[in-house]
Amino acid sequence: MELAPLLLLLLLLPAAAMAVAAGGEPVAAHPGYALGGAEEACGVAEAEAEAEALPAPERREEFDGGRIVDISHYYREDMPAWESAEGSGGFLRLARSMRNGSDIANFSELRLTAHSGTHVDAPGHVFEHYYDAGFDVDTLDLAVLNGPALLVDVPRDKNITAEVMASLHIPKGVRRVLFRTLNTDRKLMWKKEFDTSFVGFMKDGAQWLVDNTDIKLVVHCRG
Ligand SMILES: *[C@@H]1O[C@H](CO)[C@@H](O)[C@H](O)[C@H]1NC(C)=O
Ligand SMILES: *[C@@H]1O[C@H](CO)[C@@H](O)[C@H](O)[C@H]1NC(C)=O
Ligand SMILES: *[C@@H]1O[C@H](CO)[C@@H](O)[C@H](O)[C@H]1NC(C)=O
């Protein structure tokens, strides 16, 4: 049986070009993933017992022939939130626990803004007429959001102006670009207090991009 491909590598805004927590041992995404060979994986005994009944699970680590590199930040309570000095705060709680009365499961509740951490903005986020017309995230083209992207280093002493865009010489035909800026060096995503001095696109830089490149997806770390 073919499962519908559900892989989304959303190269999201604002994303830092760093994902792997520094140091530490590599951690398997799931007990079924072997790190040092199948023999060492958790749950192998059960997996072998069930092997006759179940087809081997297909690991969808690839999309469209390319490797997926997840650059999204995991949610943390001290992850910066827009104009907040307090970070994102407690966004996860155990609403019902098996320890004190829930008889079938633990129920956790998430409460956070749609613009937390690594995310993609809907057209309706900043344009009222798009909002009124219902341009939600599901109106975005997944073919634009997925696929090879170019990582470009922006001069660390500048915001992204038309002049900076011109100096980057991004070739025609490139559709997805990750702009690595001073925000990454300053580790803004790791600072609880929102820093309004983050580097970003200036209006003329955005206009230059529209007028002179084939870029359809912009990824940057805002901090
Ligand atoms: C049960 O535990 C959960 C999680 O700790 C808590 O949110 C909830 O208020 C508790 N309910 C009762 C009835 O004590
Ligand atoms: C349910 O929540 C409790 C905390 O109240 C935790 O100790 C327990 O491991 C959880 N059980 C499951 C099956 O996740
Ligand atoms: C980028 O622009 C912001 C907002 O105007 C400003 O605070 C910041 O200092 C600028 N950064 C650089 C590197 O020029």
Side-chain angles (χ1 to χ4, degrees):
M1 186 184 73
E2 286 264 320
L3 297 172
L6 283 176
L7 280 180
L8 304 182
L9 170 58
L10 297 182
L11 293 175
L12 305 171
L13 296 172
M18 61 168 84
V20 185
E25 293 297 307
V27 179
H30 182 276
Y33 284 75
L35 280 179
E39 312 75 44
E40 294 165 32
C42 301
V44 166
E46 297 94 305
E48 277 170 1
E50 287 170 357
E52 284 170 49
L54 291 173
E58 190 181 341
R59 302 298 179 203
R60 298 179 185 277
E61 296 284 344
E62 296 217 333
F63 176 79
D64 217 12
R67 206 170 95 77
I68 289 179
V69 181
D70 184 357
I71 59 164
S72 52
H73 283 273
Y74 55 87
Y75 291 153
R76 309 177 328 271
E77 294 198 357
D78 58 1
M79 179 175 69
W82 185 257
E83 290 181 342
S84 162
E86 305 303 323
S88 297
F91 54 84
L92 177 65
R93 73 182 189 100
L94 189 58
R96 285 171 61 190
S97 168
M98 292 167 84
R99 287 239 178 105
N100 68 0
S102 173
D103 55 358
I104 58 164
N106 283 344
F107 292 90
S108 300
E109 193 177 276
L110 269 176
R111 190 184 172 94
L112 71 180
T113 82
H115 301 278
S116 300
T118 308
H119 67 281
V120 65
D121 281 332
H125 179 46
V126 281
F127 298 105
E128 222 163 343
H129 56 294
Y130 279 126
Y131 184 88
D132 293 340
F135 280 84
D136 300 330
V137 277
D138 56 1
T139 65
L140 296 175
D141 182 355
L142 294 181
V144 169
L145 294 172
N146 291 283
L150 183 69
L151 173 63
V152 173
D153 271 288
V154 176
R156 296 306 201 250
D157 57 344
K158 294 185 173 78
N159 273 290
I160 308 174
T161 58
E163 192 189 344
V164 167
M165 275 304 295
S167 75
L168 294 175
H169 301 294
I170 296 168
K172 278 276 184 188
V174 169
R175 284 160 55 80
R176 304 176 197 85
V177 178
L178 286 76
F179 290 90
R180 181 160 55 193
T181 68
L182 183 64
N183 300 341
T184 298
D185 295 0
R186 293 176 69 204
K187 298 195 186 320
L188 291 188
M189 278 301 279
W190 301 95
K191 289 179 180 151
K192 184 170 163 182
E193 194 165 337
F194 187 78
D195 190 329
T196 55
S197 70
F198 65 86
V199 165
F201 267 88
M202 293 296 163
K203 198 172 175 186
D204 65 328
Q207 191 62 52
W208 197 94
L209 181 151
V210 170
D211 294 341
N212 299 286
T213 76
D214 296 323
I215 299 169
K216 300 292 176 222
L217 178 69
V218 170
V219 182
H220 84 112
C221 165
R222 185 169 54 206

